[in-house]
């Protein structure tokens, strides 16, 4: 349909959606079909960018960033160097786009941090989490900020720093409590409570579970 109405932006994002559907079928980092869809999407966004229209070029850049994010997710742990390079390319584009893409930039930092944590680069992961937290704080995005604390806790857990991790989980749960929405906040409460149980702080954990 996008091709019928000559909409390169819709074509590009439709192709990225097709790539996402292919992703669960292969987890080796060389999912050829998924990568082919990303390349086709990149071509569509390139055609859009070539029009020279400022508004369309901005949409094309957003599309380019998403293409790099998709490739990073395909490569992931199987091809970490390639994945990190793609996250970094996406981040550069989003930062260049300015204020309108700050939230996407913060999300991308968190996703890159997750990979860095899994491949044994904790200091780089911490740097990305801190960068994301600063953006979320500036945007007054408490959901994103809570995710930063949660991810920091998971990173510290992976380093066997359980007490420090518990403090990060507590911070995440404290932010979640300000939402006045137990359904949304429940996962953050749960992670904090589970960590307290692990540390044998049963009374405090029971209070949270209730």
């Amino acid at each position: 349909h996008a091709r019928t109405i000559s909409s390169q932006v819709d074509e590009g994002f439709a192709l990225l959606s097709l790539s996402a559907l292919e992703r669960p079928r292969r987890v080796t980092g060389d999912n050829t079909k998924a990568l082919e869809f990303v390349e086709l999407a990149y071509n569509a966004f390139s055609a859009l960018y070539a029009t020279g229209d400022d508004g369309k070029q901005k949409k094309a850049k957003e599309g380019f960033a998403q293409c790099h994010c998709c490739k990073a997710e395909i490569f992931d742990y199987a091809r970490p160097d390639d994945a990190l390079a793609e996250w970094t390319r996406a981040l550069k584009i989003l930062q260049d786009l300015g204020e309108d893409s700050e939230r996407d930039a913060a999300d991308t930092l968190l996703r890159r941090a997750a990979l860095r944590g899994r491949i044994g680069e904790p200091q780089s992961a911490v740097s990305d989490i801190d960068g994301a937290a600063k953006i979320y704080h500036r945007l007054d995005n408490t959901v994103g900020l809570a995710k930063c604390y949660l991810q920091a806790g998971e990173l510290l857990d992976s380093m066997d720093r359980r007490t420090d991790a518990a403090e990060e989980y507590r911070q995440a749960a404290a932010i979640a409590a300000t939402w006045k929405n137990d359904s949304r906040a429940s996962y953050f409460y749960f992670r904090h409570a589970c960590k307290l149980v692990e540390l044998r702080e049963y009374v405090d954990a029971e209070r949270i579970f209730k």
Side-chain angles (χ1 to χ4, degrees):
H1 179 68
R3 287 169 176 166
T4 299
I5 63 174
S6 299
S7 174
Q8 288 106 343
V9 65
D10 290 325
E11 179 182 348
F13 282 108
L15 286 162
L16 289 182
S17 295
L18 286 170
S19 176
L21 288 173
E22 289 290 334
R23 233 170 284 158
R25 303 183 189 186
R26 293 282 295 279
V27 292
T28 60
D30 59 349
N31 189 326
T32 303
K33 192 65 176 177
L35 288 171
E36 285 178 358
F37 280 129
V38 175
E39 291 303 321
L40 289 171
Y42 202 94
N43 291 340
F45 293 128
S46 295
L48 182 66
Y49 189 85
T51 65
D53 179 274
D54 288 346
K56 290 181 179 179
Q57 287 190 341
K58 181 179 179 182
K59 284 291 185 183
K61 288 180 179 179
E62 292 171 352
F64 292 150
Q66 291 308 310
C67 285
H68 290 304
C69 287
C70 286
K71 290 180 75 173
E73 289 174 345
I74 293 168
F75 295 144
D76 197 48
Y77 189 75
R79 294 171 57 180
D81 289 342
D82 290 329
L84 287 174
E86 294 297 334
W87 285 129
T88 301
R89 292 185 184 107
L91 185 61
K92 176 65 167 61
I93 294 171
L94 292 169
Q95 290 171 334
D96 288 345
L97 283 168
E99 293 182 0
D100 291 343
S101 296
E102 279 193 305
R103 178 177 173 178
D104 289 334
D107 291 344
T108 301
L109 280 167
L110 275 189
R111 292 156 81 183
R112 188 173 69 176
L115 176 58
R116 283 177 157 170
R118 284 186 288 135
I119 63 174
E121 297 182 2
Q123 293 305 317
S124 295
V126 168
S127 178
D128 280 350
I129 293 171
D130 286 345
K134 289 176 182 176
I135 296 173
Y136 289 132
H137 182 74
R138 185 165 63 250
L139 297 176
D140 196 27
N141 186 325
T142 58
V143 174
L145 200 54
K147 288 180 180 178
C148 287
Y149 281 111
L150 189 68
Q151 194 161 319
E154 291 169 347
L155 178 64
L156 289 166
D157 257 340
S158 71
M159 299 164 64
D160 202 30
R161 292 171 55 183
R162 296 185 299 166
T163 303
D164 292 333
E167 175 58 22
E168 299 295 330
Y169 291 133
R170 186 194 67 76
Q171 293 270 25
I175 293 173
T178 67
W179 300 336
K180 309 301 182 184
N181 184 332
D182 285 341
S183 178
R184 170 181 272 188
S186 59
Y187 182 69
F188 296 90
Y189 297 155
F190 178 75
R191 292 302 301 274
H192 183 212
C194 286
K195 178 52 60 178
L196 290 175
V197 169
E198 184 181 329
L199 295 174
R200 300 183 179 181
E201 297 179 14
Y202 299 119
V203 174
D204 288 336
E206 184 177 13
R207 175 178 52 80
I208 296 172
F209 277 128
K210 285 181 178 180

